Amino acid sequence: MTLQTLIVERHGAVTLIRLNRPEALNALNGQLMDELTATLDETEADASVRCVVITGSDRAFAAGADIKEMASKSYADVFTEDFITANWERVTRCRKPVIAAVAGYALGGGCELAMMCDFIIAADNARFGQPEINLGVIPGAGGTQRLTRFVGKSKAMDMVLTARMMNAEEANQCGLVSRVVPLADLISTAMEAAQKIAALSPNSVMIAKELVGAAYEAPLSQGVKMERRLFHSLFAFDDQKEGMAAFVEKRPAKFTGK
Ligand code: CAA
């Protein structure tokens, strides 16, 4: 597929995906979401990719679903094409970690896409919001559910009902993002985190990701039980022997994924 709305770069075992519709502040249209879905399919199928970073521009991660494309759609259109479900949620099914590196606006579907990633690193100019209520609609890509789990009921209600934006500092304080860095350091920080993850044992990385994700969906007792079973299962891999032997022998581990 020739990509027109994304720039995809390969840096060792990390794929960096840049959303690239600058004329529309990276508004998420059907083409972009199709291209993102196809790119994530490829990264998942490529064993040499170990981690993915999704970013936008300095001005906008993404200013939401493309309002100009959406404006004339009827109920029959969105229901029949299964709008959002059809091509927006591929990132939630990735087994490899996906980091969102957010600068500028992450609004509506842009905020929702960032929240679908495993964690968000924000630049100090990042602004998060769910302003769909201003358009006579509501968040449609998980915003009412994921934002509430991230920041709690009161802040989620405030943002979803008033369309107020949150700056990077507030997003950091309430746990929406994992860290805030100066804008100039955003990509290098996200890539450093991704390269660190990419060098680890891929099995333990995928299992750890699955379990932290499960904490949002399963009751605590079931999540802990699942963690124990999968923790035990990692002792079936060579990487567990190698990782622990390397510690004891005071040398770097050489993980093989076996
Ligand atoms: N869809 C389509 N085009 C968009 C867009 C969007 N979501 N956001 C910005 N653009 C376009 C603007 O129309 C403008 O294009 P033109 O130059 O052709 O007029 C260009 O990007 C630059 O935007 P602005 O001139 O508006 O830039 P600004 O700096 O004055 O304002 C902004 C920036 C506050 C982000 C403002 O653009 C804005 O409010 N955007 C819309 C945000 C929004 O409502 N997002 C939610 C969308 S609905 C949704 O996402 C549903 C869902 O849950 C799935």
Side-chain angles (χ1 to χ4, degrees), residues 23-25 27 59 63-68 107-109 112 131-132 135 139-140:
E23 71 288 355
L25 298 181
R59 194 167 163 219
D66 190 314
I67 300 167
K68 292 167 190 168
L107 302 178
E112 291 168 308
E132 291 91 339
L135 302 169

Side-chain angles (χ1 to χ4, degrees), residues 57-59 102-104 122-126 180-188:
S57 66
D58 286 359
R59 194 167 163 219
V102 173
D124 50 13
N125 74 338
V180 178
V181 297
L183 174 59
D185 300 339
L186 177 66
I187 300 301
S188 59

Side-chain angles (χ1 to χ4, degrees), residues 41-252:
D41 281 343
E42 279 172 28
T43 60
E44 283 284 281
D46 182 344
S48 66
V49 178
R50 296 285 181 82
C51 193
V52 176
V53 175
I54 301 179
T55 195
S57 66
D58 286 359
R59 194 167 163 219
F61 177 75
D66 190 314
I67 300 167
K68 292 167 190 168
E69 187 179 71
M70 220 171 13
S72 62
K73 285 186 193 287
S74 66
Y75 173 74
D77 292 332
V78 293
F79 181 75
T80 306
E81 75 184 54
D82 210 5
F83 182 42
I84 305 295
T85 314
N87 58 359
W88 277 59
E89 294 178 315
R90 179 65 181 88
V91 66
T92 64
R93 295 189 300 278
C94 286
R95 297 181 79 200
K96 297 172 187 178
V98 183
I99 302 171
V102 173
Y105 296 112
L107 302 178
C111 186
E112 291 168 308
L113 176 63
M115 290 191 293
M116 287 181 208
C117 297
D118 294 310
F119 61 98
I120 302 173
I121 300 179
D124 50 13
N125 74 338
R127 313 223 27 215
F128 298 88
Q130 297 289 162
E132 291 91 339
I133 204 88
N134 285 339
L135 302 169
V137 290
I138 58 167
T144 60
Q145 305 303 299
R146 289 199 179 89
L147 186 67
T148 308
R149 281 169 166 76
F150 274 108
V151 308
K153 177 182 166 186
S154 196
K155 271 189 195 291
M157 283 284 191
D158 184 2
M159 289 174 70
V160 169
L161 296 181
T162 71
R164 165 174 95 76
M165 289 186 215
M166 206 184 249
N167 66 20
E169 189 192 339
E170 185 179 1
N172 196 21
Q173 276 167 7
C174 66
L176 178 56
V177 307
S178 71
R179 36 184 151 154
V180 178
V181 297
L183 174 59
D185 300 339
L186 177 66
I187 300 301
S188 59
T189 305
M191 291 303 289
E192 199 178 311
Q195 297 289 5
K196 160 76 190 181
I197 292 167
L200 299 169
S201 170
N203 308 306
S204 45
V205 165
M206 283 192 292
I207 288 176
K209 166 183 160 135
E210 186 181 337
L211 284 164
V212 176
Y216 281 91
E217 318 227 343
L220 179 63
S221 57
Q222 204 181 313
V224 171
K225 196 169 176 182
M226 192 175 157
E227 182 198 77
R228 199 63 33 80
R229 293 285 173 268
L230 289 170
F231 171 70
H232 290 163
S233 78
L234 285 167
F235 286 72
F237 289 100
D238 293 346
D239 278 350
Q240 173 266 331
K241 301 285 171 304
E242 167 61 13
M244 294 190 183
F247 175 81
V248 173
E249 292 160 20
K250 300 185 189 297
R251 60 172 175 82

